[in-house]
Structures are given as structure tokens and as C-alpha cells.
């Protein structure tokens, strides 16, 4: 068997990342996860500090990372189950009509939907799995302490000539995300 030597700096994998190669799971919102059709890996920025100088201020790396929002677009099922799943979550956090909404939300004792460390049952972890060109899992991005803060509208339009199924967009805040490579055991 010939051993292939790699040259430092030489690209081994010349395949490109596909925009359709992903799977997203939110523990608290499984029906939204199933119908997800668009998602982003949020960007991040590092704040800067400036060191005063008599000629010009000198930029220095800051100490806080600002994570951008996680945005998921999903197809809406005919029974509005996935849309209502997110709407109930937001209502449970914000109790717009009465305090009983948050109390009912807190009673959700489904162990799949409720992370152990969340005493108030407001958050959920989410996992975005990135697939390679052969649809094999390559990376896992875990979002910690997700919660939705924006749910887009549903746009009905009787003037359309072709049927385009309805989608909605939900925007999440989270405390942190980490990207890890998935290593497969080869037989």
C-alpha cells in the first residue's frame, strides 16, 4: 500500500461546502427543527480598546466577543404546529396576556424539551450539524441557552400562480456556540 505524502500548505480536500448540507435540532422545538430549510452560522466580532497616543489612538484587541443572532427559516406545517411551538415559547417567556402563560410554560416537564440546568425553563440548547458533499456529518455546532426573541409573520397571497409553501423566520439569542469536528471511525 502506497503512503501518500502531504505537502505542507497543499490543499487536500478540494470539495466546496454545500448550502443544503445541514441538519438543525432544537431540543425545545422539535417540529421546527424537522421543517428547517435555511439557517446561518452566526458571525462574531471582538470589541476593541484604544490606547491613547499623542499622534493617533492605537487599536488593541478587546475582551468581549459579540455573537450575532441565529436565524432559522422553516416551512410551516398545515396544522401550524411548528409555528405555534415557537409562539408559545415566546409567549411563555413574555406572558403578554396574563401571568398564567408563564406558569403554564414553566410546568412543561418534558425532559427532552427542558434542559436540566434551566430552572426557569426558558432556554434550550440547539445543535447544527454540517454535512460534507457525501452527506456525512463533519461538524457539530452547539448553541447554548437558546431562546427565541423574534418570530416572523406568515404572508398569505392569493395572487400567486404557483404554489410556494409558506415559511416563517425565527431569530434566536444564545449565550455561546462552539464548533467541533466530528470524527468517524473507519472500518
Amino acid at each position: 500500500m502506497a503512503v501518500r505524502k502531504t505537502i505542507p500548505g497543499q490543499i487536500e480536500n478540494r470539495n466546496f461546502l454545500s448550502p443544503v448540507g445541514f441538519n438543525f435540532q432544537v431540543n425545545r422545538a422539535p417540529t421546527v427543527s424537522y421543517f428547517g430549510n435555511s439557517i446561518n452560522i452566526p458571525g462574531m466580532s471582538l470589541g476593541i480598546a484604544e490606547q491613547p497616543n499623542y499622534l493617533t489612538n492605537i487599536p488593541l484587541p478587546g475582551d468581549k466577543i459579540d455573537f450575532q443572532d441565529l436565524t432559522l427559516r422553516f416551512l410551516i406545517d398545515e396544522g401550524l404546529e411548528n409555528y405555534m411551538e415557537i409562539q408559545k415559547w415566546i409567549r411563555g417567556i413574555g406572558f403578554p396576556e396574563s401571568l398564567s402563560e408563564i406558569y403554564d410554560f414553566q410546568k412543561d416537564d418534558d425532559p427532552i424539551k427542558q434542559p436540566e440546568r434551566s430552572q426557569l425553563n426558558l432556554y434550550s440548547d440547539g445543535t447544527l450539524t454540517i454535512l460534507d458533499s457525501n452527506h456525512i456529518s463533519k461538524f457539530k455546532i452547539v448553541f447554548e441557552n437558546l431562546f427565541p426573541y423574534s418570530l416572523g409573520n406568515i404572508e398569505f397571497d392569493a395572487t400567486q400562480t404557483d404554489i410556494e409553501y409558506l415559511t416563517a423566520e425565527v431569530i434566536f439569542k444564545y449565550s455561546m456556540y462552539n464548533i467541533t469536528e466530528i470524527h468517524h471511525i473507519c472500518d
Side-chain angles (χ1 to χ4, degrees):
M1 175 182 232
V3 177
R4 191 172 140 195
K5 292 185 180 183
T6 59
I7 301 169
Q10 184 72 20
I11 298 172
E12 287 185 43
N13 184 349
R14 296 177 188 266
N15 294 324
F16 299 107
L17 191 60
S18 170
V20 298
F22 73 93
N23 181 4
F24 183 63
Q25 294 293 320
V26 179
N27 297 346
R28 187 162 194 45
T31 60
V32 170
S33 301
Y34 182 76
F35 289 103
N37 64 358
S38 172
I39 194 165
N40 65 318
I41 298 175
M44 60 184 184
S45 59
L46 179 65
I48 60 164
E50 290 189 346
Q51 178 181 348
N53 187 307
Y54 69 95
L55 294 175
T56 184
N57 290 340
I58 301 170
L60 299 171
D63 58 356
K64 291 185 181 177
I65 297 174
D66 182 32
F67 293 99
Q68 294 177 354
D69 295 339
L70 174 66
T71 304
L72 172 69
R73 189 174 61 238
F74 60 95
L75 289 163
I76 301 170
D77 66 280
E78 194 173 56
L80 289 176
E81 288 178 43
N82 54 8
Y83 189 84
M84 293 303 295
E85 192 172 54
I86 297 295
Q87 191 180 80
K88 286 177 185 175
W89 190 356
I90 292 173
R91 285 177 173 269
I93 294 170
F95 49 92
E97 291 180 36
S98 70
L99 287 176
S100 67
E101 286 183 280
I102 195 164
Y103 297 139
D104 292 342
F105 183 75
Q106 297 303 323
K107 290 178 189 172
D108 185 5
D109 58 359
D110 185 346
I112 293 173
K113 291 183 178 183
Q114 182 174 345
E116 291 177 17
R117 69 177 174 276
S118 176
Q119 294 176 339
L120 293 177
N121 193 20
L122 304 177
Y123 308 102
S124 178
D125 288 350
T127 304
L128 174 60
T129 306
I130 306 297
L131 311 175
D132 68 8
S133 57
N134 294 319
H135 299 287
I136 297 171
S137 304
K138 293 299 282 184
F139 294 94
K140 178 172 71 169
I141 305 168
V142 177
F143 296 88
E144 298 175 11
N145 299 322
L146 277 171
F147 67 92
Y149 78 91
S150 176
L151 177 61
N153 56 352
I154 300 175
E155 216 39 63
F156 290 93
D157 184 359
T159 63
Q160 287 187 355
T161 56
D162 290 332
I163 297 210
E164 289 186 35
Y165 295 104
L166 296 175
T167 61
E169 189 172 88
V170 58
I171 304 174
F172 294 96
K173 290 287 187 188
Y174 52 92
S175 59
M176 169 78 67
Y177 75 82
N178 290 298
I179 302 173
T180 56
E181 189 171 357
I182 298 173
H183 298 284
H184 298 278
I185 299 172
C186 299
D187 294 332

